């Protein structure tokens, strides 16, 4: 463990500073993705024909390697955090649109009819009935998006020190210090697990009506969210 | 014969599902286990094919302890029908039915022929053979479930609330079908239900269980209705058990009169034994058209409805009484198999027949509580 | 759109079509890495998922393993593996398998666990052995979901296998990494397009497998 926390000075950040940077680069895109995904999912549910093409395009985008995105963006946004964050926001969007659309769609028709009968308008119904009931599915999507975002930030190291904790990986190779790479992997994993735990706690807080006893039903977010659609 | 010998099922958490239950289940008849939820009826059934293992006691099948038999062999020798049928949605109807024969090593052709034969027996059209379960209605699926259980011709059939999930009309059809199949095949059927009417309709013997898995009464349905063992059984049978008991009395002995039956257009018959101000008008074939008052012209559109006729011999006293109660004149119309009027009978006469039947039943019950003549109602 | 121009330039350049750095070679290399990683991940994820799903036990352990594996950064694992065991195929397979096991494991477990219990009860009641119940009753019904887990894993592998190039191996990542260092965007975009194309092929493949392997009674059409 010798030198585990001994961060080379050329990274220009302390260990804690790298963590802060990493979280910012990972979580801001998820938030941006969520903001864009909410209206997009609403549109997809409004106009059913929109859903398959949106799913197709998003699945394609998801398959494009992050590094390729970063490289192409350098021309427009330079070697900056933004270059890393834009693709990550896009990936989050790709995960969140189907999660929200499917979650909202899974709200039983009777519930919707009851809400309409009580005089809810479409927007009010979406915000006050559909979204809360779809909350578990949306949070499941957020968990996938967050985990993938936190992992992918590291790749930013390849475009010139924009990888936050990932920069430790470059340093590890440069100075042949595997412990720095181990530090990067472990710290990133711990960050991912903590963020995941926070999202689970959020879901519990948002959905007090769901039974808590027994095994956590959504402990494992639905993987098929990612590539769903194209094959069905 | 299946012999359940002081069987207890106690779960690790201490709940007792079945408590020292003893039952003798006769061969080639339907034995119904009935009771409220939590009375251990399903647990009892599932202990017979060892889906649940008893904590204490033994279950003997033809004198042999079921615990001593390999569990798969035991289960393959018993048909098993459950609520919602539990069909394999990835297999066609024919393949579903052929499951056990195929497991027993039958050839493809033989299993397929057997499936076709069973589909016919349970009243399914042969064209459904290549369909998948999702393409069938709930009632049809349940028929497939019964056919699948019968496929390897097992001597024993275990049925766990098989008809509970279908609507009442379909359920009645399935029950009638089961009775018909049982007439033809004579299986030893153990049938679990929470519906006392179903129990009374289907059971040769009915075991009423109470919460905690204790036996409240084990008797033929007629005896259950006439002599409930205690207030629990009485409550469970419901308020109108007197009326329902009439289902077990035949309408054979009812004295019919033809004095008040006239063809359409005929003049009033003379007043004889039938002291009724009404006459039943029939068409040229002798089928009922409706009642008219004596002295009236009897135009077809001014006739009073005659309600639902009953068939003496086939229908029970309950059906006859129901006819009379429904009829605006208070008289029931009896018809033969072709729907031709064989006579009419008044509520009063039916009432006398009921009293006579009760007296008869008590005399019969005194020496033996044996075979009950059961009339499908 | 200059991205489209890049794509056009890349694919119309004859030099990109043959030789050890030609598109066919790189494409096949990529497919080989991806297929190998998927096979290893499936060999781990499927049996464990099937078994735990059938018994309904171990759900918490599955969720824990899946969440932990998901938290591990692929690129970081790659660098660490290379530093610890040197260059080669093994350090590439480690992050790809770690990436692919969670979707396979979790969906397989959930797929089998959530099969309607009634047919399973019926199968047991008619004397089917447990292994037969799993493979003849549960798996056919769970297959669409199991395939979706494999598909999700496959897409992620295809996209992530580009990192093989970072440790001097081949595959479509070669174009992206080389393009980055050569400042040759045409190569980067071309490589990315090929990866996306391979992802589409993968989707089509899974769709076809689904059509062939899933019973019409389960597909409901």
């Amino acid at each position: 463990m010798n030198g585990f926390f001994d961060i080379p000075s050329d990274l220009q950040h302390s260990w804690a500073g790298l963590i802060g940077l990493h979280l910012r680069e990972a979580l801001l895109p998820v938030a941006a993705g969520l903001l864009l995904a909410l209206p997009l999912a609403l549109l997809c549910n409004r106009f059913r024909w929109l859903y398959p093409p949106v799913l197709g395009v998003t699945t394609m985008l998801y398959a494009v390697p992050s590094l390729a995105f970063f490289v192409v963006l350098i021309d427009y946004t330079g070697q900056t955090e933004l270059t890393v964050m834009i693709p990550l926001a896009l990936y989050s969007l790709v995960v969140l649109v189907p999660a929200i659309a499917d979650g909202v769609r899974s709200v039983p028709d009777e519930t919707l009819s009851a809400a309409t009968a009580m005089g809810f308008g479409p927007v009010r119904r979406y915000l006050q009935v559909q979204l809360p009931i779809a909350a578990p599915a949306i949070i499941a999507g957020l968990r996938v998006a967050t985990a993938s975002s936190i992992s992918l930030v590291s790749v930013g190291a390849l475009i010139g020190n924009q990888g936050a904790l990932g920069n430790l990986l470059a340093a590890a190779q440069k100075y042949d210090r595997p412990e720095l790479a181990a530090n990067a992997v472990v710290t990133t994993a711990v960050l991912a697990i903590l963020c995941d735990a926070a999202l689970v706690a959020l879901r519990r807080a948002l959905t007090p009506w769901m039974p808590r006893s027994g095994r956590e039903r959504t402990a494992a977010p639905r993987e098929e969210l990612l590539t769903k659609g194209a094959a069905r | 014969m299946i012999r359940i010998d002081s069987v207890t099922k106690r779960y690790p958490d201490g709940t007792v599902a079945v408590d020292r239950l003893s039952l003798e289940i006769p061969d080639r008849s339907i034995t119904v286990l009935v009771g409220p939820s939590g009375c251990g009826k399903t647990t009892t059934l599932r202990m017979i094919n060892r889906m649940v293992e008893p904590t204490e006691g033994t279950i003997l099948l033809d004198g042999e302890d079921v615990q001593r038999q390999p569990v798969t062999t035991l289960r393959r020798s018993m048909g098993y029908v459950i609520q919602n049928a539990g069909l394999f949605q990835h297999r066609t109807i024919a393949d579903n039915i052929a499951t056990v024969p195929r497991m027993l090593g039958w050839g493809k052709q033989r299993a397929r022929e057997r499936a076709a034969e069973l589909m016919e027996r349970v009243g399914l059209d042969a064209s459904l053979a290549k369909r998948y379960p999702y393409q069938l209605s709930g009632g049809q699926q349940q028929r497939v479930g019964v056919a699948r259980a019968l496929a390897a011709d097992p001597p024993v059939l275990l049925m766990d609330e098989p008809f509970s999930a279908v609507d009442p009309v379909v359920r009645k059809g399935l029950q009638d079908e089961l009775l018909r199949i049982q007439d033809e095949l004579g299986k030893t059927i153990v049938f679990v239900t929470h519906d006392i009417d179903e129990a009374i309709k289907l059971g040769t013997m009915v075991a009423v269980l109470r919460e905690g898995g204790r036996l409240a009464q084990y008797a033929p349905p007629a005896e259950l209705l006439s002599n409930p063992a205690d207030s629990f059984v009485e409550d469970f049978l419901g308020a109108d058990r007197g009326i329902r008991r009439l289902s077990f009395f035949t309408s054979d002995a009812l004295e019919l009169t033809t004095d008040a039956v006239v063809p359409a257009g005929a003049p009033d018959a003379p007043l004889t034994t039938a002291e009724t101000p009404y006459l039943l008008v029939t068409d040229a074939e002798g089928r009922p058209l409706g009642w008219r008052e004596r002295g009236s012209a009897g135009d077809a559109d001014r006739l009073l409805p005659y309600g639902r006729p009953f068939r003496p011999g086939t229908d029970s006293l309950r059906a006859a009484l129901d006819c009379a109660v429904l009829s605006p004149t208070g008289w029931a119309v009896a018809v033969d198999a072709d729907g031709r009027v064989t006579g009419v009978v008044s509520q009063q006469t039916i009432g006398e027949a009921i009293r006579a039947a009760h007296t008869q039943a008590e005399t019969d019950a005194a020496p033996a509580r044996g075979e009950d003549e059961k009339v499908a109602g | 759109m200059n991205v489209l121009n890049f794509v056009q330039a890349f694919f119309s350049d004859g030099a990109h079509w043959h030789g050890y750095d030609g598109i066919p070679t790189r494409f096949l290399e990529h497919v080989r890495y991806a297929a190998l990683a998927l096979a290893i991940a499936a060999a781990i994820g499927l049996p464990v998922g099937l078994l735990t799903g059938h018994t309904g036990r171990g759900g918490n352990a599955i969720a824990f393993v899946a969440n932990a594996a998901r938290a591990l950064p692929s690129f970081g694992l790659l660098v660490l593996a290379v530093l610890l065991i040197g260059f080669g195929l093994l350090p590439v397979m480690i992050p790809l398998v770690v990436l692919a096991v969670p979707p396979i494991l979790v969906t397989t477990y959930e797929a089998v666990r959530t099969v309607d219990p009634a047919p399973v009860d019926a199968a047991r009641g008619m004397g089917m052995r447990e292994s037969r119940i799993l493979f003849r009753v549960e798996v056919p019904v769970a297959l669409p979901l199991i395939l979706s887990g494999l598909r999700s894993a496959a897409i992620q592998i295809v996209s992530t296998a580009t990192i093989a190039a970072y440790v001097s191996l081949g595959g479509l990542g070669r174009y992206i990494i080389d393009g980055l260092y050569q400042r040759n965007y045409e190569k980067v975009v071309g490589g990315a397009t090929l990866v996306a194309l391979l992802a589409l092929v993968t989707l089509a493949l899974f769709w076809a497998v689904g059509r062939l392997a899933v019973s019409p009674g389960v597909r409901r059409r």
Side-chain angles (χ1 to χ4, degrees):
Chain A
M1 281 297 165
N2 196 12
F4 195 83
F5 293 108
D6 184 7
I7 314 290
S9 57
D10 56 345
L11 296 190
Q12 297 174 349
H13 281 285
S14 65
W15 184 61
L18 286 176
I19 289 175
L21 192 64
H22 200 99
L23 283 179
R24 195 174 70 209
E25 281 189 46
L27 298 185
L28 276 182
V30 176
L34 180 63
L35 280 182
L36 287 173
L38 282 174
L40 203 56
L42 176 62
L43 279 179
C44 283
N45 278 348
R46 256 311 155 84
F47 309 102
R48 290 290 170 98
W49 55 265
L50 205 61
Y51 194 45
V54 164
L55 261 188
V57 170
T58 51
T59 306
M60 279 278 288
L61 285 178
Y62 194 76
V64 172
S66 50
L67 182 57
F69 264 128
F70 295 158
V71 174
V72 172
L73 277 176
I74 291 177
D75 248 17
Y76 304 92
T77 48
Q79 294 190 340
T80 61
E81 281 177 30
L82 201 58
T83 306
V84 175
M85 286 175 9
I86 290 172
L88 295 188
L90 214 54
Y91 290 140
S92 299
L93 186 69
V94 168
V95 174
L96 289 172
V97 168
I100 299 173
D102 290 350
V104 168
R105 197 170 292 177
S106 70
V107 176
D109 282 344
E110 309 90 82
T111 311
L112 293 184
S113 306
T116 313
M118 280 185 270
F120 281 77
V123 175
R124 197 183 163 89
R125 199 180 69 172
Y126 184 64
L127 291 176
Q128 295 192 351
V129 179
Q130 290 173 289
L131 277 186
I133 293 180
I138 296 171
I139 295 209
L142 276 176
R143 293 174 65 190
V144 173
T146 306
S148 118
S149 198
I150 290 176
S151 164
L152 286 175
V153 166
S154 310
V155 182
L158 288 179
I159 59 160
N161 264 4
Q162 293 306 331
L165 287 164
N167 297 346
L168 283 177
L169 298 169
Q173 285 175 298
K174 194 161 142 197
Y175 304 111
D176 193 23
R177 286 176 53 189
E179 73 273 10
L180 286 183
N183 181 331
V185 170
V186 171
T187 311
T188 313
V190 169
L191 283 186
I193 288 169
L194 290 180
C195 288
D196 196 61
L199 283 169
V200 172
L202 176 69
R203 203 223 62 210
R204 291 213 172 134
L206 284 180
T207 57
W209 65 85
M210 280 179 60
R212 277 181 179 210
S213 59
R215 201 171 59 75
E216 186 68 39
R217 264 295 275 119
T218 48
R222 289 163 55 214
E223 297 292 340
E224 76 271 26
L225 288 178
L226 299 183
T227 52
K228 207 173 170 182
R232 286 198 142 193
Chain B
M1 184 173 67
I2 300 169
R3 210 182 128 115
I4 298 174
D5 198 3
S6 51
V7 160
T8 296
K9 178 66 193 179
R10 197 178 301 109
Y11 285 101
D13 66 355
T15 11
V16 176
V18 177
D19 191 10
R20 283 160 298 162
L21 180 72
S22 293
L23 279 183
E24 286 196 357
I25 294 168
D27 280 345
R28 307 175 72 79
S29 64
I30 303 180
T31 301
V32 181
L33 308 178
V34 67
S37 52
C39 72
K41 52 191 190 296
T42 294
T43 310
T44 304
L45 183 87
R46 290 165 69 92
M47 284 193 287
I48 297 175
N49 68 352
R50 293 182 59 195
M51 300 284 276
V52 174
E53 301 283 7
T55 319
E56 286 158 29
T58 51
I59 295 175
L60 302 173
L61 173 64
D62 294 327
E64 204 188 332
D65 189 345
V66 294
Q67 297 280 336
R68 295 243 178 80
Q69 304 183 38
V71 70
T72 49
T73 318
L74 176 78
R75 289 176 186 166
R76 285 172 201 181
S77 72
M78 297 180 174
Y80 184 55
V81 187
I82 57 175
Q83 199 178 345
N84 293 321
L87 300 184
F88 305 139
Q89 51 165 304
H90 61 290
R91 290 194 187 164
T92 60
I93 301 309
D95 288 346
N96 259 285
I97 297 174
T99 307
V100 179
R102 295 286 289 153
M103 270 198 292
L104 293 172
W106 292 25
K108 234 182 184 145
Q109 190 54 38
R110 188 172 159 219
R112 197 173 296 153
E113 279 162 16
R114 176 69 178 154
E117 182 189 325
L118 278 162
M119 285 182 69
E120 195 186 330
R121 189 176 289 290
V122 299
L124 285 170
D125 196 90
S127 66
L128 297 177
K130 291 262 181 269
R131 298 270 183 92
Y132 286 95
Y134 78 95
Q135 295 166 308
L136 268 58
S137 70
Q140 286 173 324
Q141 290 194 19
Q142 204 48 261
R143 282 169 201 264
V144 178
V146 174
R148 184 173 66 176
L150 289 170
D153 203 17
V156 176
L157 213 55
L158 305 178
M159 307 182 82
D160 188 2
E161 307 222 10
F163 307 146
S164 299
V166 292
D167 67 63
V169 176
V170 176
R171 189 183 311 147
K172 183 179 179 304
L174 289 168
Q175 291 167 346
D176 293 341
E177 200 84 358
L178 179 67
L179 287 173
R180 185 182 59 71
I181 293 169
Q182 173 64 357
D183 267 354
E184 295 168 10
L185 301 180
K187 300 287 180 192
T188 303
I189 299 179
V190 187
F191 190 107
V192 163
T193 180
H194 60 255
D195 177 357
I196 185 68
D197 291 317
E198 189 168 63
I200 284 168
K201 178 172 177 180
L202 297 178
T204 314
M205 289 292 282
V206 176
V208 183
L209 302 177
R210 66 170 89 226
E211 283 94 341
R214 279 169 302 136
L215 184 64
Q217 187 168 8
Y218 187 41
E223 191 186 322
L224 213 60
L225 288 167
S226 56
N227 288 316
D230 55 21
S231 60
F232 169 78
V233 179
E234 200 170 345
D235 285 350
F236 195 70
L237 286 165
D240 54 352
R241 66 182 168 90
I243 300 278
R244 281 191 293 180
R245 196 183 158 209
L246 296 181
S247 306
F248 295 92
F249 299 135
T250 165
S251 57
D252 263 346
L254 279 178
E255 231 173 89
L256 304 175
T257 172
T258 51
D259 291 351
V261 183
V262 293
D268 288 8
L271 269 175
T272 50
T273 47
E275 299 282 337
T276 164
Y278 295 100
L279 293 168
L280 182 73
V281 182
T282 61
D283 64 10
E285 263 96 62
R287 293 195 179 82
L289 291 173
W291 295 94
R292 72 170 169 85
E293 264 180 272
R294 284 182 188 277
S296 73
D299 300 332
D301 55 338
R302 296 181 58 194
L303 295 174
L304 292 168
Y306 59 90
R308 228 168 92 166
F310 73 99
R311 276 178 61 193
T314 314
D315 284 341
S316 64
L317 270 184
R318 184 179 176 176
L321 179 63
D322 197 52
C323 286
V325 172
L326 282 178
S327 164
T329 61
W331 285 64
V333 176
V335 293
D336 62 14
D338 298 320
R340 276 190 273 271
V341 176
T342 56
V344 292
V345 58
S346 69
Q347 276 178 14
Q348 211 175 351
T349 313
I350 296 171
E352 282 158 17
I354 292 170
R355 281 189 290 280
H358 278 169
T359 322
Q360 183 67 37
E362 269 151 40
T363 348
D364 287 353
R369 36 150 68 177
E371 291 296 303
D372 254 61
E373 189 180 343
K374 215 174 106 201
V375 187
Chain C
M1 281 293 291
N2 53 4
V3 170
L4 288 182
N5 293 342
F6 286 144
V7 173
Q8 205 211 346
F10 179 79
F11 285 103
S12 55
D13 186 344
H16 285 142
W17 286 100
H18 30 78
Y20 73 93
D21 197 31
I23 291 170
T25 317
R26 294 300 184 211
F27 201 84
L28 282 180
E29 281 171 351
H30 203 94
V31 169
R32 245 186 48 225
Y33 303 150
L36 182 60
L38 185 65
I40 297 172
I44 298 168
L46 284 181
V48 178
L50 289 177
L51 207 68
T52 48
H54 176 71
T55 59
R57 293 196 194 128
N60 286 323
I62 295 269
F64 178 79
V65 169
N67 279 336
R70 215 193 311 266
L72 290 172
S74 307
F75 181 60
L77 272 186
L78 174 75
V79 172
L80 187 61
V82 166
L83 285 173
L84 294 179
I85 55 187
F87 288 86
L89 198 56
L90 184 62
V92 175
M93 284 302 133
I94 290 173
L96 291 185
V97 169
V98 166
L99 181 75
V101 164
I104 296 175
L105 186 61
V106 171
T107 33
T108 306
Y109 167 77
E110 281 291 321
V112 176
R113 198 183 63 89
T114 54
V115 166
D116 180 7
V120 176
D121 187 59
R124 203 164 279 141
M126 61 177 79
M128 263 195 209
R129 290 179 212 290
E130 290 304 308
S131 60
R132 204 180 165 102
I133 291 177
L134 174 60
F135 289 106
R136 301 285 182 86
V137 178
E138 291 175 312
V139 168
V141 175
L143 198 56
L145 210 55
I146 294 175
L147 281 176
S148 86
L150 284 169
R151 187 184 64 208
S152 171
I155 299 285
Q156 292 182 56
I157 288 177
V158 163
S159 167
T160 311
T162 44
I163 57 174
Y166 184 71
V167 292
S168 307
L169 287 176
L172 296 170
R174 237 355 334 132
Y175 297 124
I176 297 171
I177 299 275
D178 293 349
L180 169 68
Y181 292 132
Q182 300 162 6
R183 294 274 153 182
N184 180 346
Y185 292 153
E186 190 185 304
K187 261 191 168 175
V188 174
V189 173
T193 310
L194 284 169
V195 172
L197 215 64
L198 184 55
L200 272 189
V201 171
T202 310
L203 281 184
L205 215 65
F206 272 94
W207 178 83
V209 169
R211 283 314 295 254
L212 288 177
V214 177
S215 155
V218 177
R219 268 192 280 127
R220 313 219 147 186
R221 66 170 84 111

